[in-house]
């Protein structure tokens, strides 16, 4: 079984500041992938970033970077230079079970303050 | 880009009736489609995984006879909630994997539809 834990139900960040959203995971699969998605109030899920368990370098996508620490089983999302439009729910997810099953965490609500 | 649509976006139905939700990949062929449900202020729960032309794989606890999934083509999957009850009211979201990404580092990315809000009265 796989499990994703997001311990921060809500976070505040000042506009233009960086913020880290925590995510830890547990899986017995030797190969897996980690995702972060953003869900605005409108409901759609927006892909942000992906990290494979065998990737040597931390993934980056524009203002998003994933701080992957395999030994600690953590995959924190770092958003640099926060913008008001970043206010949303953020979900961490693990892809495992032979890369077939995605399990989502409970999410972190991020609010960017002007 | 890779766009996934869902229809309808909102539906209200009476208890005991059936509702069909469509999920379409508009500009790509989907190797696999996924169906999730999300209760208010909660996370997404995977209901089932479907591949074109084969039976869907349901997650534990999801009733196959209640949530019928048909993956008729590489661009269309449907979820039918049969004999709906108020407890089936939820936000249903589908996602799809792009066949073109096979063999690339992006092959596991899922593109999500905008969701369908089902209310059963």
């Amino acid at each position: 079984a796989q499990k994703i834990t997001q311990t921060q139900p809500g976070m505040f960040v000042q506009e233009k500041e960086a913020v880290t959203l925590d995510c830890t995971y547990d899986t017995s699969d030797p190969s897996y992938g980690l995702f972060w998605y953003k869900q605005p109030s409108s409901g759609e899920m927006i892909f942000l970033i992906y990290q494979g368990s065998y990737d040597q370098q931390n993934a980056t996508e524009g203002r998003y970077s994933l701080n992957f620490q395999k030994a600690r089983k953590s995959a924190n999302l770092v958003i640099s230079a926060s913008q008001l439009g970043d206010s949303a729910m953020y979900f961490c997810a693990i892809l495992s079970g032979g890369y077939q099953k995605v399990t989502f965490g409970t999410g972190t609500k991020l609010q960017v303050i002007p | 880009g890779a766009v996934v649509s869902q229809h309808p976006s909102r539906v209200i139905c009476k208890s005991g009736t059936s509702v069909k939700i469509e999920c379409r990949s508009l500009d790509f062929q989907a190797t696999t489609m996924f169906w999730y449900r999300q209760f208010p202020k909660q996370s997404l729960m995977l209901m089932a995984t479907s591949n074109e032309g084969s039976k869907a794989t349901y997650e534990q606890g999801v009733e196959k006879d209640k949530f019928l999934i048909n993956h008729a083509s590489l661009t269309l999957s449907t979820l039918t909630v049969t004999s709906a009850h108020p407890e089936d009211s939820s936000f249903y979201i589908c996602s799809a994997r792009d066949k073109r990404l096979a063999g690339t580092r992006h092959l596991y990315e899922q593109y999500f539809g905008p969701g369908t809000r089902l209310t059963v009265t």
Side-chain angles (χ1 to χ4, degrees):
Chain A
Q2 30 288 325
K3 186 178 179 182
I4 287 279
T5 302
Q6 293 180 255
T7 57
Q8 305 155 314
M11 290 278 287
F12 289 92
V13 64
Q14 203 78 37
E15 194 178 5
K16 299 181 184 178
E17 297 291 312
V19 63
T20 298
L21 306 184
D22 295 341
C23 173
T24 58
Y25 62 91
D26 192 21
T27 180
S28 56
D29 290 339
S31 300
Y32 51 90
L34 296 152
F35 291 93
W36 276 92
Y37 288 90
K38 172 184 177 181
Q39 187 178 41
S41 56
S42 52
E44 76 271 26
M45 296 289 284
I46 302 168
F47 166 78
L48 296 179
I49 199 165
Y50 171 78
Q51 177 87 42
S53 60
Y54 290 113
D55 290 345
Q56 294 297 313
Q57 293 186 326
N58 287 345
T60 60
E61 295 281 352
R63 293 186 299 111
Y64 305 106
S65 61
L66 199 151
N67 184 0
F68 181 46
Q69 298 188 42
K70 194 171 183 177
R72 296 180 61 184
K73 294 191 174 181
S74 74
N76 298 340
L77 176 70
V78 180
I79 305 175
S80 62
S82 297
Q83 302 172 355
L84 295 178
D86 293 335
S87 295
M89 282 291 289
Y90 287 80
F91 291 98
C92 180
I94 184 167
L95 173 68
S96 56
Y99 293 99
Q100 287 298 319
K101 179 172 179 174
V102 178
T103 303
F104 284 83
T106 51
T108 295
K109 184 174 182 178
L110 177 66
Q111 295 185 63
V112 180
I113 305 167
Chain B
V3 180
V4 176
S5 71
Q6 279 185 242
H7 178 79
S9 58
R10 289 178 180 271
V11 57
I12 301 172
C13 70
K14 291 186 177 180
S15 187
T17 62
S18 295
V19 174
K20 180 185 284 188
I21 302 170
E22 290 187 351
C23 176
R24 292 182 185 272
S25 54
L26 297 185
D27 53 357
F28 67 97
Q29 291 183 326
T31 52
T32 307
M33 286 185 165
F34 304 85
W35 285 96
Y36 298 85
R37 70 185 294 183
Q38 184 180 29
F39 291 105
K41 298 185 179 181
Q42 293 190 27
S43 187
L44 278 73
M45 299 296 294
L46 179 65
M47 298 175 67
T49 303
S50 74
N51 295 292
E52 186 260 345
S54 61
K55 289 183 178 180
T57 301
Y58 289 81
E59 293 299 301
Q60 194 172 11
V62 178
E63 298 174 61
K64 302 177 184 180
D65 296 331
K66 181 165 187 61
F67 298 99
L68 300 178
I69 292 173
N70 186 306
H71 196 150
S73 73
L74 282 172
T75 59
L76 172 65
S77 177
T78 59
L79 168 67
T80 302
V81 183
T82 62
S83 187
H85 291 286
E87 57 265 30
D88 298 325
S89 298
S90 188
F91 192 54
Y92 291 88
I93 308 177
C94 73
S95 69
R97 281 186 184 161
D98 189 343
K99 189 177 181 180
R100 297 171 297 185
L101 298 181
T104 74
R105 66 179 297 272
H106 301 281
L107 81 163
Y108 300 119
E109 289 180 20
Q110 295 182 39
Y111 299 102
F112 282 82
T116 297
R117 190 162 301 283
L118 170 64
T119 303
V120 184
T121 60

